[in-house]
Amino acid sequence: AALTALAVAARALNCVLVRTSFVPDEYWQSLEVAHRMVFKYYGYLTWEWAHGLRGYSYPLVFASIYKALQLLGKDDVQLLIWFPRLAQAVLAAFADVKLYLLVRHLENAETAKYVYFCQLCSWFTWYSCTRTLTNTMETLLTIFALYYYPIKGSKMGSSCKYLSLIALAIVIRPTAAIPWIPLVFSHFLQEQRKADLILHKCVPIGLVTLGTSVIIDRVFFGEWVLVQLNFLKFNVLQNLGTFYGSHPWHWYFTQGLPVILGTHLPFFIHGCVMAPKRYRILLMAVIWTVLVYSTLNHKEFRFLYPVLPFCMFFCGYSLKHLKAWKKSAASFLLVSNLLPALYTGLIHQRGSLDVMNHIQLLCNSSYQSQAFVFIMMPCHSTPFYSHVHCPLKMRFLQCPPDLTGNESYVDEADVFYSNPLSWLNKEFYNDTLLPTHLIFFSVLEQEISSFLALKGYEKTDTVFHTHVPQGRVGSHIYIYRKKTAMSH
């Protein structure tokens, strides 16, 4: 109980110290959907939902939180922002405890302590574990499932429990199956009653979970949709993920894994060498996952997040078996992870959340009905109604991929960025169509300055975003307001 309380306190602090944005999916595939599910009139669904690539099971978690707040009359925008993240933080804390208990059961209390220490130290876990990303939920469910996995020497193994947790993870994010393929296969080979495992465990669990997920989707889509199949077709068979960027095949080995492991890397390698044979299956899961993901062109750091806890197991094992250097190694890990954790959590890419506070102010003004906010940033740069929570007129640049096979297709955001000035003049050919507020990255200001001057916009706020501006993303976000708009 003391450990659980400590873990919850640690992750709650973690939650408060992460005030930056990571990737758009954090809002657009969870909170925006949940907001739309509960507060019907306003909310936004991205193109994935129009094509049935995503399921409602995960957003339903946050929709339940929103619904509870609404029924209690407490659906204040700050609570809508923080409650889902605190819920994720509490789950992350329980997962940390499960990881500790698993290692204590397999090894001893001292090794468990070091694994838990490594888990708490990991800058990437700190950065990701309280976010409302499907990858986060996939990772937490993977830790819970690992606790019940029948690894050699474990007496806590429960096929039903671990298979159910994997099935749940796959419903939330189909890729959750990848790390488990070698683990389930290994379990199958060792199992005496193979037919029993398949017919009495795998099949019923699979059918119940998939059935539940299909029914949830039927309720919210209004028709029968097999989301997992659509997801697979889109990302693997059509390989349309490359629309969002592609990387060389070795990227996960040369950048992905080294970056998310950070200074844990030498300990991970040492732990892999030191650990007894029965843990090789965990290493296999890591290598296999990295290999499978390497075959897909579109690569992201967060895709490897579910195997990070496996890596922490080996890091903790390494720390425990260091003879003379244990104290200094632990201090080194703590200090070297603290800086990136605090920097990425509090500073890097914080503008896209901070700017929402400025938009929220429009909700409480008498001027709300006339206001029209246009976010001229790479699409999905900021959250939307989940962080505003009032029926304000808002718009952003669209960027759905083309699913019709049109070779010359260019999305709205790309058309805009190819010539912002001409786009604005064409789009707002009549002054009555003009937004009252324009929000954009500092890099764009020079290019559209003549439009801003001509149409009578003035800069009202500057919001810091990042120290490493790249391409269309500037170091600051500017808020411009139309002068005449406020004088009415």
Side-chain angles (χ1 to χ4, degrees), residues 22 99 119 124-125 128 133-146 169-170 172-180 183 252 257 260 282 285-287 289-290 293 300-313:
F22 180 11
L99 189 62
Q119 172 76 352
F124 193 78
T125 301
S128 309
L133 274 166
T134 48
N135 309 82
T136 301
M137 195 55 117
E138 177 189 359
T139 305
L140 301 181
L141 289 170
T142 291
I143 298 177
F144 290 128
L146 199 57
I170 293 170
I172 287 170
R173 195 172 172 86
T175 51
I178 297 170
W180 284 99
L183 289 157
Y252 283 123
L257 200 57
I260 69 167
L282 299 180
V286 175
I287 296 170
T289 304
V290 177
Y293 274 127
E300 290 186 45
F301 291 114
R302 62 190 173 111
F303 294 168
L304 290 187
Y305 181 31
V307 296
L308 201 53
F310 293 64
C311 300
M312 291 306 131
F313 176 86

Side-chain angles (χ1 to χ4, degrees), residues 192-314:
Q192 263 85 48
R193 296 169 309 196
K194 290 183 172 41
D196 184 58
L197 176 68
I198 290 180
L199 298 174
H200 294 141
K201 307 238 169 57
C202 293
V203 174
I205 288 170
L207 289 174
V208 169
T209 338
L210 188 63
T212 310
S213 135
V214 167
I215 290 166
I216 290 172
D217 289 334
R218 171 75 181 83
V219 171
F220 291 102
F221 276 116
E223 57 184 354
W224 294 106
V225 178
L226 192 55
V227 170
Q228 289 76 11
L229 186 66
N230 293 345
F231 183 89
L232 190 75
K233 275 204 298 215
F234 177 86
N235 286 302
V236 182
L237 307 177
Q238 295 174 292
N239 204 2
L240 285 169
T242 49
F243 180 79
Y244 295 107
S246 56
H247 297 80
W249 65 270
H250 55 74
W251 188 83
Y252 283 123
F253 292 97
T254 52
Q255 286 177 52
L257 200 57
V259 166
I260 69 167
L261 275 171
T263 48
H264 284 79
L265 186 60
F267 300 97
F268 170 61
I269 295 169
H270 177 242
C272 291
V273 176
M274 292 287 299
K277 248 193 188 138
R278 64 190 178 123
Y279 300 132
R280 288 232 177 106
I281 184 64
L282 299 180
L283 178 59
M284 273 294 303
V286 175
I287 296 170
W288 159 259
T289 304
V290 177
L291 283 171
V292 170
Y293 274 127
S294 295
T295 62
L296 297 172
N297 289 336
H298 179 58
K299 299 176 173 67
E300 290 186 45
F301 291 114
R302 62 190 173 111
F303 294 168
L304 290 187
Y305 181 31
V307 296
L308 201 53
F310 293 64
C311 300
M312 291 306 131
F313 176 86
F314 291 105

Side-chain angles (χ1 to χ4, degrees), residues 2 42 67 75 98 137 195 213 273 287 334 421:
Y42 52 102
K67 193 69 193 169
D75 56 333
K98 278 289 191 226
M137 195 55 117
S213 135
V273 176
I287 296 170
L334 184 63
L421 200 54

Side-chain angles (χ1 to χ4, degrees), residues 166-194:
I166 300 169
L168 191 56
I170 293 170
V171 160
I172 287 170
R173 195 172 172 86
T175 51
I178 297 170
W180 284 99
I181 289 170
L183 289 157
V184 173
F185 186 63
S186 157
H187 173 205
F188 177 73
L189 292 179
Q190 285 160 21
E191 182 67 53
Q192 263 85 48
R193 296 169 309 196
K194 290 183 172 41

Side-chain angles (χ1 to χ4, degrees), residues 248-468:
W249 65 270
H250 55 74
W251 188 83
Y252 283 123
F253 292 97
T254 52
Q255 286 177 52
L257 200 57
V259 166
I260 69 167
L261 275 171
T263 48
H264 284 79
L265 186 60
F267 300 97
F268 170 61
I269 295 169
H270 177 242
C272 291
V273 176
M274 292 287 299
K277 248 193 188 138
R278 64 190 178 123
Y279 300 132
R280 288 232 177 106
I281 184 64
L282 299 180
L283 178 59
M284 273 294 303
V286 175
I287 296 170
W288 159 259
T289 304
V290 177
L291 283 171
V292 170
Y293 274 127
S294 295
T295 62
L296 297 172
N297 289 336
H298 179 58
K299 299 176 173 67
E300 290 186 45
F301 291 114
R302 62 190 173 111
F303 294 168
L304 290 187
Y305 181 31
V307 296
L308 201 53
F310 293 64
C311 300
M312 291 306 131
F313 176 86
F314 291 105
C315 297
Y317 199 88
S318 159
L319 267 186
K320 156 81 169 68
H321 290 86
L322 286 177
K323 299 282 183 288
W325 300 92
K326 210 173 280 187
K327 277 239 166 70
S328 25
S331 311
F332 164 72
L333 266 182
L334 184 63
V335 174
S336 60
N337 277 277
L338 191 64
L339 294 171
L342 290 175
Y343 180 76
T344 54
L346 291 170
I347 299 166
H348 179 60
Q349 294 186 3
R350 66 170 295 152
S352 44
L353 290 184
D354 288 347
V355 81
M356 300 314 286
N357 299 330
H358 293 271
I359 299 178
Q360 284 160 22
L361 297 175
L362 294 174
C363 289
N364 308 328
S365 69
S366 52
Y367 165 66
Q368 182 197 315
S369 55
Q370 285 98 42
F372 170 21
V373 178
F374 186 23
I375 301 169
M376 300 192 294
M377 289 150 89
C379 69
H380 307 133
S381 288
T382 63
F384 216 48
Y385 285 110
S386 66
H387 283 55
V388 176
H389 193 52
C390 78
L392 195 65
K393 185 178 178 191
M394 297 201 291
R395 177 181 172 185
F396 64 94
L397 295 167
Q398 305 277 342
C399 60
D402 169 57
L403 302 176
T404 61
N406 172 5
E407 292 293 314
S408 56
Y409 171 79
V410 186
D411 67 56
E412 184 181 51
D414 283 340
V415 175
F416 170 82
Y417 279 106
S418 64
N419 191 338
L421 200 54
S422 126
W423 189 93
L424 286 168
N425 286 322
K426 225 179 274 165
E427 191 71 14
F428 304 114
Y429 58 88
N430 183 332
D431 282 9
T432 55
L433 302 170
L434 286 168
T436 55
H437 293 73
L438 297 175
I439 295 174
F440 53 86
F441 280 121
S442 45
V443 285
L444 193 63
E445 189 182 42
Q446 208 55 44
E447 246 182 299
I448 60 168
S449 54
S450 58
F451 175 84
L452 297 170
L454 184 69
K455 301 293 184 189
Y457 283 97
E458 58 182 345
K459 191 191 297 183
T460 55
D461 288 288
T462 299
V463 179
F464 170 77
H465 183 63
T466 175
H467 288 118
V468 277

